[in-house]
Amino acid sequence: MRFALSEDQKLLQDSLTKALADLAPLERVRRFADDNEPSAGDIWAGLADLGLPGLLIDEEHGGLGLGLLEAALAAEALGRAVAPTPFLGSAVLAPLALKSAGSAAQQARWLPRLAAGEVTAGVAISEPIAGARDGAGVTAEGGRLTGKALFVIGAEGADLLVVADRAGGLHLAETAEAVEAMSTIDATRRLTEISFRDTPAEPLASNGVLDRLRDAAWTMLAADTLGAGEAMLEKAVAYAKERRQFGRVIGSFQAVKHLCAEMAAELEPARALVWYAAYAFDHAPDEAPLMAAHAKAHTSEIGRFVARTATEVHGGMGITDLLGLHYWFKRIGLNRQLLGGPERARETAARLQGLAA
């Protein structure tokens, strides 16, 4: 099957890329990372003016009513800019959970506000997807939550929490006993640990929805890694054209040419895989789980290769804070492990194909 973007989809990604160049230049990302800001509200407000928070929300609730492919194109642009935004939780996972499992009242209350960027949502689904660490996990009983969730996406300052319990059920909570920042390698995003103690929550009709959220999240992380890898390749090529050694630009050396060509050769096929995984989510649901697992596993591996190789092309400059290359390097590293590493994704893919129990 021949697969290509429509003109509207190309325009969406191009417009977002241009907007991010103004809203989230490297100096703004650096300020967010260095100052430990809980959120970059100015960036999210600017993206809300473009309608990004409502990308997946139906028009009747004030959104754009688009699909996961458009969300993947947005995630790719955000990864390219290493933009600090609550996109994954507020614009993708929470709307999908509400659309798929929320009551009419829950949708009417939250979707218009999410679409307008007036509220943000945190999503705690790591334990049933990636496996719980000792002491982690949330239990639900009688409309109340108790326990602890780790690696929660976008919970700092969030107005709404989508929480998965140990059994895979989903719940909406507006508060938590405690929200504490977790230290990770990626300073461009905030992950948190949240605790509940007999906290009121509304259940969602969550039969099978958690698997859909996993597929969407894995596809978005793959797209983010793709964008970050593209940025690192572009920076490596630009540096190779400027850096001189032995009286020549280093890009004229065959070894450096090979490094850049290998990065491009790994990234280019991955784009089609990620785009098709996002397309399948809406248009070929039987294929979507396998495609999402392949996209997460494959981009995790090539992302690490590109991050390492681009840094090598930069030589000693690659590890300096002045250059800022480490923001993309570390973002790719967190994407690799968040909600399950490539080993977890490959295990899921094997199980889906009947190759593992």
Side-chain angles (χ1 to χ4, degrees), residues 4 6 65 94 120 147 172 250 267 275 282 307 321 329 334:
S6 69
T120 60
L172 295 182
I250 63 171
L267 279 172
W275 287 358
D282 293 309
D321 184 68
F329 191 109
L334 181 59

Side-chain angles (χ1 to χ4, degrees), residues 31-265:
R31 191 164 71 250
F32 174 86
D34 292 348
D35 295 345
N36 290 317
E37 298 177 37
S39 65
D42 56 324
I43 298 176
W44 192 235
L47 294 173
D49 290 340
L50 299 175
L52 189 67
L55 203 63
L56 298 182
I57 297 174
D58 295 335
E59 293 182 17
E60 65 179 291
H61 293 300
L64 299 178
L66 300 177
L68 202 73
L69 176 54
E70 286 79 12
L73 298 176
E76 189 178 334
L78 292 167
R80 179 187 291 270
V82 285
T85 72
F87 175 76
L88 180 57
S90 289
V92 179
L93 299 181
L96 286 175
L98 284 163
K99 287 171 58 178
S100 302
S103 65
Q106 290 168 334
Q107 292 178 5
R109 181 183 180 191
W110 291 110
L111 288 178
R113 298 166 70 192
L114 285 169
E118 296 174 359
V119 300
T120 60
V123 179
I125 58 175
S126 180
E127 279 73 31
I129 291 178
R133 296 190 177 190
D134 290 344
V138 176
T139 58
E141 185 175 355
R144 294 182 176 273
L145 303 178
T146 299
K148 179 169 62 177
L150 304 180
F151 304 101
V152 182
I153 299 164
E156 280 192 331
D159 307 276
L160 174 68
L161 298 171
V162 178
V163 183
D165 62 33
R166 294 178 187 271
L170 292 174
H171 310 265
L172 295 182
E174 295 182 47
T175 185
E177 179 73 16
V179 178
E180 300 180 12
M182 296 186 70
S183 178
T184 71
I185 62 170
D186 180 12
T188 69
R189 289 176 297 189
R190 302 283 182 255
L191 298 181
T192 54
E193 170 187 317
I194 60 176
S195 301
F196 300 99
R197 184 182 299 173
D198 205 28
T199 304
E202 300 177 17
L204 293 172
S206 51
N207 184 31
V209 176
L210 183 61
D211 287 345
R212 291 281 283 170
L213 294 186
R214 176 204 62 200
D215 298 342
W218 281 0
T219 304
M220 292 301 100
L221 291 170
D224 193 279
T225 290
L226 177 62
E230 290 168 345
M232 293 195 79
L233 171 58
E234 290 171 4
K235 291 178 180 297
V237 171
Y239 183 78
K241 291 178 178 179
E242 296 175 357
R243 177 73 167 92
R244 300 185 68 85
Q245 195 167 13
F246 307 115
R248 297 166 54 186
V249 294
I250 63 171
S252 66
F253 298 125
Q254 196 71 17
V256 176
K257 291 179 182 179
H258 282 171
L259 291 176
C260 294
E262 287 170 4
M263 286 188 282

Side-chain angles (χ1 to χ4, degrees), residues 285-309:
D286 291 342
E287 297 181 41
L290 183 59
M291 290 299 100
H294 283 323
K296 178 67 157 69
H298 186 60
T299 57
S300 294
E301 302 294 8
I302 67 163
R304 182 169 66 174
F305 168 76
V306 171
R308 182 181 68 245
T309 305

